[in-house]
């Protein structure tokens, strides 16, 4: 089936690989594969590259010279936006909320270090992850305009806009092309705002797949908010693509069981998941998103919800640079020993 192709820049490495995880599969039962969205390119990759590939078409048309955006201190979105700006010959100004880290940092680490190396101007906002920094962004945009710049604002909502859902319909098309004629039974993905899940689920519906998409809430938003985003974003994306399929609320699967105390806070199961995938198949996942999602996948296999006969695709949405900012979660007192 041909789905309409909208304009995109071509800044990412697509298609991303789909790899088998044979050792993890033999430990957990089902056949598990990983879609390497951490290999999309742009300064260590992640799911935002696909999204920016569509979103920045407008910035290029408007001949903008600076991308302004916002998120948390260890934001993957901010890092990938900075990388896109650099690749496109622009500058990046980041307004980063302290969120789960509470305080303004005193040294660069993880994503923040990469933002700095790529030349982003970083300003810090002492704000929670669910507070809205729009007015601060608007003010900085005005400040830059007065200096003669032509800034392009990417508000928080940009990362979840319908075009970003279109981007993940593409990912589902890639998965189908890479699945060697045997459709996946399940796709498991981290749900932050929800547009990645929206695109995958919409793609599965448009392509009439049996594949069920399971979002694991990472705790940045309430399940009802994510569901609203998915319903709205998938309806608008479908229209953009000239399709009629829509997602109803009861077709959206989101689990609230795995984020623990909250966004960015490790759980024993997320720490186990990081070590498990790394030591099984040398697959490095991140603490904030993919480890929570993987802890869900592991639990659903162990509970027998995912069956031995199932073929499962885990979406590695990226975020690995943040792992280094979480080094204290892996103390040297717990050294590996070969027996
Ligand atoms: C590594 C990683 N995984 C998953 C997500 C969540 O994506 P979405 O907001 O589309 O649910 C993000 C977004 O911030 C991310 O950085």
């Amino acid at each position: 089936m041909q789905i309409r192709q909208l304009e995109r820049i071509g800044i990412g490495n697509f298609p991303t690989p789909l790899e088998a995880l044979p050792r993890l599969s033999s430990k957990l039962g089902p056949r598990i594969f990983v879609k390497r969205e951490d290999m999309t390119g742009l300064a260590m990759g992640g799911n935002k590259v696909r999204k920016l590939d569509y979103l920045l078409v407008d910035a290029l048309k408007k001949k903008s010279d600076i991308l302004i955006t916002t998120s948390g201190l260890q934001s993957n979105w901010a890092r990938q936006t900075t990388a896109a700006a650099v690749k496109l010959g622009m500058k990046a100004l980041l307004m980063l909320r302290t969120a789960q880290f509470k305080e303004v940092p005193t040294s660069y680490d993880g994503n923040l270090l990469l933002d700095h190396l790529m030349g982003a101007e970083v300003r810090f906002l002492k704000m929670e992850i669910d507070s809205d920094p729009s007015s601060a962004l608007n003010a900085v945009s005005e400040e830059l305009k007065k200096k003669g710049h032509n800034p392009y604002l990417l508000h928080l909502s940009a990362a979840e806009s319908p075009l970003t859902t279109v981007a993940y319909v593409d990912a589902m098309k890639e998965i189908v092309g890479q699945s060697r004629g045997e459709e996946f039974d399940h796709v498991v993905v981290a749900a932050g705002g929800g547009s990645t899940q929206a695109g995958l689920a919409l793609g599965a519906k448009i392509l009439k797949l049996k594949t069920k998409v399971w979002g694991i809430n990472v705790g940045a938003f309430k399940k009802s908010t994510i569901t609203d985003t998915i319903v709205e974003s998938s309806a608008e994306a479908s229209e953009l693509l000239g399709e009629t399929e829509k997602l109803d609320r009861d077709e959206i699967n989101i689990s609230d069981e795995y984020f623990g105390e909250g966004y960015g806070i490790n759980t024993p199961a997320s720490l186990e998941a990081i070590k498990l995938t790394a030591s099984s198949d040398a697959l490095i996942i991140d603490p904030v998103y993919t480890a929570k999602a993987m802890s869900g996948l592991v639990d659903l296999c162990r509970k027998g919800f995912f069956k031995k006969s199932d073929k499962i695709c885990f979406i590695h949405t990226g975020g690995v640079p943040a792992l280094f900012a979480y080094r204290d979660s892996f103390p040297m007192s717990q050294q590996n020993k070969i027996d």
Side-chain angles (χ1 to χ4, degrees), residues 25-41:
S25 302
S26 69
K27 283 178 186 163
L28 296 176
R31 282 167 301 152
I32 305 169
F33 293 74
V34 59
K35 176 72 171 159
R36 299 294 304 267
E37 293 294 288
D38 57 323
M39 292 176 70
T40 49

Side-chain angles (χ1 to χ4, degrees), residues 7-289:
E7 198 178 347
R8 59 189 211 190
I9 307 177
I11 45 171
N13 295 331
F14 302 117
T16 56
L18 180 82
E19 295 170 357
L21 296 175
R23 285 167 198 84
L24 187 68
S25 302
S26 69
K27 283 178 186 163
L28 296 176
R31 282 167 301 152
I32 305 169
F33 293 74
V34 59
K35 176 72 171 159
R36 299 294 304 267
E37 293 294 288
D38 57 323
M39 292 176 70
T40 49
L42 289 192
M44 300 190 164
N47 62 340
K48 310 306 183 193
V49 176
R50 261 188 212 279
K51 300 181 178 193
L52 289 162
D53 210 14
Y54 282 96
L55 288 173
L56 296 182
V57 168
D58 191 43
L60 284 188
K61 282 189 181 151
K62 292 184 171 138
K63 301 199 186 313
S64 303
D65 60 345
I66 303 179
L67 298 179
I68 304 173
T69 198
T70 182
S71 193
L73 283 186
Q74 278 301 328
S75 165
N76 301 304
W77 160 257
R79 177 208 2 120
Q80 288 160 91
T81 303
T82 303
V86 171
K87 286 272 196 180
L88 296 171
M90 303 178 194
K91 300 254 178 253
L93 194 151
L94 309 175
M95 307 285 284
L96 300 183
R97 294 165 302 165
T98 46
Q100 76 267 34
F101 297 96
K102 310 281 182 218
E103 299 300 327
V104 169
T106 51
S107 62
Y108 295 116
D109 201 352
N111 281 308
L112 190 60
L113 174 61
L114 302 184
D115 299 337
H116 173 69
L117 295 178
M118 289 186 283
E121 176 175 337
V122 182
R123 299 189 191 178
F124 299 107
L125 300 168
K126 264 194 134 183
M127 280 182 162
E128 294 300 324
I129 194 72
D130 52 4
S131 49
D132 184 1
S134 299
S135 55
L137 260 74
N138 292 332
V140 86
S141 173
E142 289 312 311
E143 176 194 319
L144 290 171
K145 279 184 198 158
K146 278 190 197 133
K147 287 185 185 163
H149 289 290
N150 181 16
Y152 192 86
L153 261 180
L154 289 155
H155 280 286
L156 268 184
S157 55
E160 308 302 333
S161 68
L163 274 181
T164 69
T165 295
V166 165
Y168 268 85
V169 171
D170 289 349
M172 193 47 121
K173 280 195 281 188
E174 282 179 20
I175 291 171
V176 171
Q178 293 167 322
S179 9
R180 303 186 179 201
E182 190 193 354
E183 279 175 30
F184 282 96
D185 297 288
H186 305 286
V187 164
V188 178
V189 64
S195 71
T196 304
Q197 180 177 353
L200 294 164
L202 179 65
K205 193 159 182 186
I206 294 174
L207 296 166
K208 305 198 184 328
L209 308 178
K210 68 173 179 182
T211 313
K212 285 206 164 62
V213 178
W214 302 91
I216 307 293
N217 186 3
V218 299
F221 297 98
K222 285 199 189 116
K223 180 171 162 172
S224 58
T225 311
I226 303 172
T227 308
D228 291 344
T229 302
I230 296 179
V231 170
E232 285 162 29
S233 187
S234 61
E236 288 178 51
S238 189
E239 213 173 304
L240 286 173
L241 292 169
E243 302 287 335
T244 52
E245 302 288 4
K246 290 188 169 58
L247 297 174
D248 298 323
R249 292 186 87 80
D250 60 2
E251 293 174 289
I252 299 165
N253 306 305
I254 301 172
S255 169
D256 259 350
E257 262 182 68
Y258 301 102
F259 60 77
E261 283 176 40
Y263 175 79
I265 303 173
N266 298 320
T267 62
S270 69
L271 295 177
E272 188 216 343
I274 292 174
K275 289 195 202 148
L276 181 66
T277 58
S279 61
S280 302
D281 291 289
L283 183 73
I284 309 301
I285 57 177
D286 85 293
V288 182
Y289 295 93

